[in-house]
């Protein structure tokens, strides 16, 4: 006689991956319920026209490599919100382009455990100033790397393409 699941000890609740959580609620992907975010693609020119470096930071929760990003801010234009995120998350500021250089999508794990798809508009910032103190100092690791290395570090496929193909405008 086969044993049924009821006969066995209960399994501990193992956390599900973002994809597993989304697969359980596929309607979220197709309901048009994408949340908007804004990101800062921070870069600096290397001396003697040797190219550029891009700033990547770690996320506070998982420690994965990202670019500074956040939610829309009341009373702020999208490019202003991206610039504020760059200051808060990495202590950098500079010349911000008002039109996005691209966008990417990803799955965001919210504080309540819910998962939502997000679309992120990316604004370039030519970094001219770095602060010794900033809001999230000590909560993130910052790295200035080549566009190829930045693309290797981030997970999101569309962001990888943006970083590899990025040309300052």
């Amino acid at each position: 006689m086969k044993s049924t699941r009821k006969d066995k000890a209960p399994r501990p609740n193992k956390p599900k991956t973002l994809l597993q959580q989304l697969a359980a609620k596929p309607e979220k992907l197709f309901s048009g319920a994408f949340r908007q975010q804004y990101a800062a693609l921070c870069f600096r020119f290397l001396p003697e026209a040797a190219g550029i470096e891009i700033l990547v930071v770690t996320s506070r929760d998982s420690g994965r490599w990202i670019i500074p990003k956040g939610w829309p801010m009341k009373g702020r234009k999208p490019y202003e919100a991206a610039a504020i995120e760059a200051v808060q998350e990495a202590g950098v500021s500079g010349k911000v382009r008002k039109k996005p250089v691209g966008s990417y999508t990803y799955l965001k794990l919210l504080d309540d455990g819910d998962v939502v798809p997000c679309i992120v508009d990316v604004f370039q910032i030519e970094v001219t100033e770095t602060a010794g103190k900033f809001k999230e100092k000590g909560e993130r690791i910052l790295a200035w790397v080549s566009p190829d290395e930045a693309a290797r570090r981030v997970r999101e496929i569309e962001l990888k393409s943006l970083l590899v193909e990025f040309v300052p405008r």
Side-chain angles (χ1 to χ4, degrees), residues 28-129:
K28 286 190 175 208
L29 264 185
F30 305 105
S31 65
F34 275 78
R35 304 261 186 106
Q36 181 70 59
Q37 288 192 310
Y38 302 117
L41 195 167
C42 304
F43 75 97
R44 64 185 180 191
F45 288 101
L46 292 169
E48 301 175 23
I52 63 167
E53 287 181 316
I54 292 175
L55 179 66
V56 290
V57 302
T58 55
S59 69
R60 290 187 297 177
D61 52 357
S62 68
R64 76 187 197 297
W65 290 101
I66 60 170
I67 59 176
K69 69 176 178 307
W71 301 106
M73 298 176 186
K74 191 172 182 135
R76 302 286 186 171
K77 296 188 181 316
Y79 68 90
E80 292 171 327
I84 290 168
E85 293 296 339
V87 171
Q88 291 178 346
E89 295 183 11
V92 297
S93 58
K95 187 177 178 189
V96 185
R97 194 161 193 270
K98 294 180 180 181
K99 292 191 176 187
V101 294
S103 64
Y104 68 97
T105 56
Y106 80 107
L107 300 175
K108 170 82 174 164
L109 177 61
L110 300 177
D111 291 339
D112 65 5
D114 203 8
V115 177
V116 294
C118 292
I119 186 159
V120 184
D121 289 338
V122 180
F123 297 86
Q124 81 174 36
I125 299 177
E126 182 181 351
V127 174
T128 56
E129 294 180 42

Side-chain angles (χ1 to χ4, degrees), residues 2 18-19 31 48-49 56 70 73 86 124 134 140 160 169:
K2 283 187 177 179
L18 291 179
L19 282 177
S31 65
E48 301 175 23
V56 290
M73 298 176 186
Q124 81 174 36
F134 53 94
R140 300 175 184 277
K160 286 178 182 288
R169 298 175 189 160

Side-chain angles (χ1 to χ4, degrees), residues 114-158:
D114 203 8
V115 177
V116 294
C118 292
I119 186 159
V120 184
D121 289 338
V122 180
F123 297 86
Q124 81 174 36
I125 299 177
E126 182 181 351
V127 174
T128 56
E129 294 180 42
T130 57
K133 289 183 176 180
F134 53 94
K135 185 177 180 182
E136 297 179 14
K137 185 177 177 80
E139 297 178 40
R140 300 175 184 277
I141 298 169
L142 284 58
W144 286 100
V145 296
S146 70
D148 285 348
E149 178 61 22
R152 272 193 288 281
R153 290 188 185 200
V154 300
R155 284 188 191 162
E156 299 81 8
I157 300 297
E158 296 158 306

